[in-house]
Protein backbone atom coordinates (compact mmCIF):
# COMPACT_ATOMS: atom_id res chain seq x y z
CA UNK A 1 0.00 0.00 0.00
CA UNK A 2 1.31 3.39 -1.00
CA UNK A 3 0.73 6.70 0.78
CA UNK A 4 -0.61 9.27 -1.65
CA UNK A 5 -0.61 12.95 -0.73
CA UNK A 6 -3.16 14.87 -2.81
CA UNK A 7 -3.45 18.63 -2.55
CA UNK A 8 -5.64 21.45 -3.88
CA UNK A 9 -5.48 25.19 -3.28
CA UNK A 10 -7.49 27.78 -1.43
CA UNK A 11 -9.28 30.48 -3.48
CA UNK A 12 -7.20 33.42 -4.71
CA UNK A 13 -7.41 36.56 -6.84
CA UNK A 14 -10.84 37.50 -5.42
CA UNK A 15 -12.54 34.19 -6.23
CA UNK A 16 -14.80 32.54 -3.67
CA UNK A 17 -13.77 28.99 -4.45
CA UNK A 18 -10.94 27.10 -6.04
CA UNK A 19 -12.12 24.10 -8.08
CA UNK A 20 -8.90 22.23 -7.27
CA UNK A 21 -9.78 21.97 -3.57
CA UNK A 22 -13.36 21.02 -4.49
CA UNK A 23 -12.09 18.22 -6.75
CA UNK A 24 -9.64 16.93 -4.15
CA UNK A 25 -12.35 16.86 -1.48
CA UNK A 26 -14.74 15.04 -3.82
CA UNK A 27 -12.09 12.40 -4.58
CA UNK A 28 -11.44 11.87 -0.86
CA UNK A 29 -15.14 11.35 -0.09
CA UNK A 30 -15.35 8.41 -2.50
CA UNK A 31 -11.88 6.93 -2.10
CA UNK A 32 -11.75 3.43 -0.62
CA UNK A 33 -8.20 2.40 -1.45
CA UNK A 34 -6.17 0.38 -2.20
CA UNK A 35 -3.78 3.14 -1.12
CA UNK A 36 -3.82 5.52 1.82
CA UNK A 37 -4.97 8.94 0.64
CA UNK A 38 -3.94 12.05 2.57
CA UNK A 39 -5.49 15.31 1.36
CA UNK A 40 -4.70 18.94 2.09
CA UNK A 41 -5.71 22.38 0.88
CA UNK A 42 -2.67 24.60 0.46
CA UNK A 43 -2.57 28.36 0.96
CA UNK A 44 -2.01 30.39 -2.22
CA UNK A 45 1.13 31.91 -0.78
CA UNK A 46 4.70 31.25 -1.85
CA UNK A 47 6.23 30.84 1.58
CA UNK A 48 3.48 29.09 3.49
CA UNK A 49 2.54 26.67 0.68
CA UNK A 50 6.11 25.37 0.59
CA UNK A 51 6.28 25.19 4.40
CA UNK A 52 2.99 23.29 4.55
CA UNK A 53 4.11 20.85 1.88
CA UNK A 54 7.42 20.16 3.56
CA UNK A 55 5.59 19.51 6.85
CA UNK A 56 3.11 17.16 5.15
CA UNK A 57 5.92 15.27 3.45
CA UNK A 58 7.89 14.97 6.70
CA UNK A 59 4.81 13.71 8.55
CA UNK A 60 3.38 11.27 6.02
CA UNK A 61 6.46 10.21 4.01
CA UNK A 62 4.29 9.89 0.86
CA UNK A 63 5.19 7.56 -1.97
CA UNK A 64 3.18 9.75 -4.34
CA UNK A 65 2.47 13.48 -4.22
CA UNK A 66 -0.13 14.91 -6.59
CA UNK A 67 -0.69 18.64 -6.34
CA UNK A 68 -3.56 20.30 -8.19
CA UNK A 69 -4.42 23.92 -8.86
CA UNK A 70 -6.55 26.16 -11.03
CA UNK A 71 -5.48 27.41 -14.44
CA UNK A 72 -8.35 29.83 -15.06
CA UNK A 73 -9.01 30.30 -18.77
CA UNK A 74 -7.87 26.81 -19.71
CA UNK A 75 -10.38 24.45 -21.30
CA UNK A 76 -8.54 21.23 -20.49
CA UNK A 77 -6.85 19.34 -17.70
CA UNK A 78 -3.08 19.99 -17.94
CA UNK A 79 -0.62 17.46 -16.56
CA UNK A 80 2.51 19.49 -15.95
CA UNK A 81 5.90 18.14 -17.04
CA UNK A 82 8.28 20.64 -15.46
CA UNK A 83 8.68 23.04 -12.57
CA UNK A 84 11.12 25.93 -13.06
CA UNK A 85 13.20 27.67 -10.40
CA UNK A 86 11.43 30.99 -10.79
CA UNK A 87 8.90 33.03 -8.87
CA UNK A 88 7.49 35.85 -10.98
CA UNK A 89 4.11 36.83 -9.63
CA UNK A 90 1.58 38.73 -11.78
CA UNK A 91 -0.51 39.43 -8.68
CA UNK A 92 0.31 39.35 -4.95
CA UNK A 93 -0.24 36.00 -3.25
CA UNK A 94 -2.80 35.63 -0.43
CA UNK A 95 -0.17 36.83 2.08
CA UNK A 96 0.59 39.94 0.01
CA UNK A 97 3.95 38.70 -1.29
CA UNK A 98 4.75 39.40 -4.94
CA UNK A 99 8.21 38.10 -5.82
CA UNK A 100 9.50 39.25 -9.20
CA UNK A 101 12.26 37.26 -10.91
CA UNK A 102 13.32 35.47 -7.73
CA UNK A 103 14.39 31.80 -7.65
CA UNK A 104 12.21 29.37 -5.73
CA UNK A 105 15.38 27.94 -4.23
CA UNK A 106 18.58 29.96 -4.42
CA UNK A 107 21.25 27.68 -5.86
CA UNK A 108 18.73 25.02 -6.88
CA UNK A 109 18.67 23.48 -10.37
CA UNK A 110 16.98 25.57 -13.06
CA UNK A 111 14.15 23.07 -13.38
CA UNK A 112 12.87 19.76 -12.09
CA UNK A 113 10.83 17.29 -14.10
CA UNK A 114 7.61 15.73 -12.87
CA UNK A 115 8.04 12.05 -12.06
CA UNK A 116 4.39 11.25 -12.73
CA UNK A 117 3.79 9.24 -15.93
CA UNK A 118 2.62 12.45 -17.63
CA UNK A 119 1.86 11.16 -21.12
CA UNK A 120 0.16 8.06 -19.80
CA UNK A 121 -2.05 10.16 -17.51
CA UNK A 122 -3.00 12.46 -20.39
CA UNK A 123 -4.07 9.43 -22.40
CA UNK A 124 -6.04 7.94 -19.51
CA UNK A 125 -7.91 11.20 -18.79
CA UNK A 126 -8.52 11.85 -22.47
CA UNK A 127 -9.81 8.30 -22.94
CA UNK A 128 -12.37 8.98 -20.19
CA UNK A 129 -13.80 11.75 -22.38
CA UNK A 130 -12.24 14.60 -20.40
CA UNK A 131 -10.06 16.99 -22.45
CA UNK A 132 -6.44 16.66 -21.28
CA UNK A 133 -3.03 17.82 -22.43
CA UNK A 134 0.49 17.71 -21.14
CA UNK A 135 1.99 21.11 -20.38
CA UNK A 136 5.55 22.40 -20.52
CA UNK A 137 4.94 25.33 -18.21
CA UNK A 138 3.09 25.59 -14.91
CA UNK A 139 3.63 29.36 -15.05
CA UNK A 140 5.68 31.29 -12.51
CA UNK A 141 3.16 31.77 -9.72
CA UNK A 142 2.44 29.64 -6.63
CA UNK A 143 1.56 26.44 -8.54
CA UNK A 144 4.92 26.32 -10.29
CA UNK A 145 6.64 27.08 -6.97
CA UNK A 146 4.80 24.19 -5.34
CA UNK A 147 5.70 21.82 -8.17
CA UNK A 148 9.36 22.82 -8.06
CA UNK A 149 9.43 22.62 -4.25
CA UNK A 150 7.72 19.26 -4.02
CA UNK A 151 10.05 17.66 -6.57
CA UNK A 152 12.98 18.72 -4.41
CA UNK A 153 11.37 17.67 -1.13
CA UNK A 154 10.14 14.12 -1.74
CA UNK A 155 12.21 10.96 -1.33
CA UNK A 156 14.19 10.20 -4.51
CA UNK A 157 12.07 7.09 -5.13
CA UNK A 158 8.76 8.92 -4.71
CA UNK A 159 6.57 9.98 -7.61
CA UNK A 160 5.41 13.58 -7.69
CA UNK A 161 3.86 16.12 -10.00
CA UNK A 162 1.21 18.72 -10.66
CA UNK A 163 -2.11 18.87 -12.48
CA UNK A 164 -3.71 22.17 -13.51
CA UNK A 165 -7.51 22.21 -13.77
CA UNK A 166 -9.86 24.56 -15.58
CA UNK A 167 -12.68 26.30 -13.74
CA UNK A 168 -15.59 24.09 -12.76
CA UNK A 169 -19.05 24.96 -14.07
CA UNK A 170 -20.15 26.27 -10.66
CA UNK A 171 -17.05 28.41 -10.07
CA UNK A 172 -16.30 29.79 -13.55
CA UNK A 173 -16.55 33.51 -14.25
CA UNK A 174 -19.11 34.04 -17.03
CA UNK A 175 -16.79 34.02 -20.04
CA UNK A 176 -14.33 31.34 -18.88
CA UNK A 177 -14.23 27.80 -20.23
CA UNK A 178 -15.12 25.17 -17.69
CA UNK A 179 -15.66 21.48 -17.07
CA UNK A 180 -18.22 19.96 -14.72
CA UNK A 181 -17.35 19.25 -11.07
CA UNK A 182 -17.77 15.55 -11.85
CA UNK A 183 -15.31 15.69 -14.73
CA UNK A 184 -12.69 17.50 -12.65
CA UNK A 185 -13.05 15.08 -9.74
CA UNK A 186 -12.94 12.15 -12.17
CA UNK A 187 -9.76 13.48 -13.77
CA UNK A 188 -8.08 13.88 -10.38
CA UNK A 189 -9.23 10.40 -9.36
CA UNK A 190 -7.72 8.95 -12.54
CA UNK A 191 -4.40 10.60 -11.68
CA UNK A 192 -4.57 9.04 -8.19
CA UNK A 193 -5.40 5.61 -9.62
CA UNK A 194 -2.76 5.69 -12.38
CA UNK A 195 0.10 7.64 -10.79
CA UNK A 196 2.12 4.49 -10.25
CA UNK A 197 1.57 3.09 -13.76
CA UNK A 198 4.48 2.98 -16.19
CA UNK A 199 4.92 5.92 -18.57
CA UNK A 200 3.97 5.35 -22.18
CA UNK A 201 6.55 5.74 -24.92
CA UNK A 202 4.00 5.70 -27.74
CA UNK A 203 3.93 8.88 -29.82
CA UNK A 204 0.78 10.74 -28.81
CA UNK A 205 -0.03 13.07 -31.68
CA UNK A 206 -1.80 16.30 -30.83
CA UNK A 207 -2.57 15.64 -27.16
CA UNK A 208 1.06 16.04 -26.02
N1 LIG B 1 -3.55 28.39 -9.27
C1 LIG B 1 -2.43 29.32 -9.16
C2 LIG B 1 -2.03 29.28 -7.71
C3 LIG B 1 -3.14 28.61 -7.00
C4 LIG B 1 -3.98 28.01 -8.03
O1 LIG B 1 -4.95 27.27 -7.84
C5 LIG B 1 -1.29 29.00 -10.14
O2 LIG B 1 -1.55 28.46 -11.22
O3 LIG B 1 -0.15 29.33 -9.83
Amino acid sequence: MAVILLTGFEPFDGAERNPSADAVNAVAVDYEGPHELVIATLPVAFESSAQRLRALIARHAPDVVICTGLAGGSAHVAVERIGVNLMDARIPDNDGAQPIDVPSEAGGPEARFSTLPVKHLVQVIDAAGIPARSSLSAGSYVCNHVLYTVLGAVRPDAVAGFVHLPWSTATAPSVSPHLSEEQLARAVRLVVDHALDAETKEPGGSIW
Side-chain angles (χ1 to χ4, degrees), residues 9 12 18 20 44 69-70 141-144 164:
F9 273 106
F12 68 109
N18 189 319
S20 65
V44 183
L70 166 68
Y141 194 52
V142 178
C143 291
N144 172 72
H164 259 127

Side-chain angles (χ1 to χ4, degrees), residues 81-186:
R81 295 194 74 165
I82 183 166
V84 296
N85 191 8
L86 174 68
M87 299 187 284
D88 194 37
R90 179 181 59 82
I91 53 172
D93 70 15
N94 285 357
D95 285 344
Q98 189 169 12
I100 306 288
D101 289 344
V102 178
S104 283
E105 277 177 40
E110 278 88 348
R112 294 178 175 135
F113 285 99
S114 170
T115 49
L116 288 170
V118 170
K119 295 192 240 181
H120 174 64
L121 293 173
V122 169
Q123 282 187 336
V124 165
I125 298 166
D126 199 68
I130 303 163
R133 297 280 186 276
S134 70
S135 163
L136 284 167
S137 173
S140 56
Y141 194 52
V142 178
C143 291
N144 172 72
H145 178 62
V146 156
L147 173 57
Y148 183 85
T149 299
V150 98
L151 289 169
V154 290
R155 290 196 318 266
D157 65 323
V159 166
F162 196 99
V163 180
H164 259 127
L165 304 174
W167 288 109
S168 63
T169 306
T171 59
S174 54
V175 293
S176 295
H178 51 85
L179 296 175
S180 72
E181 275 76 6
E182 293 72 22
Q183 283 179 305
L184 296 182
R186 176 99 183 103

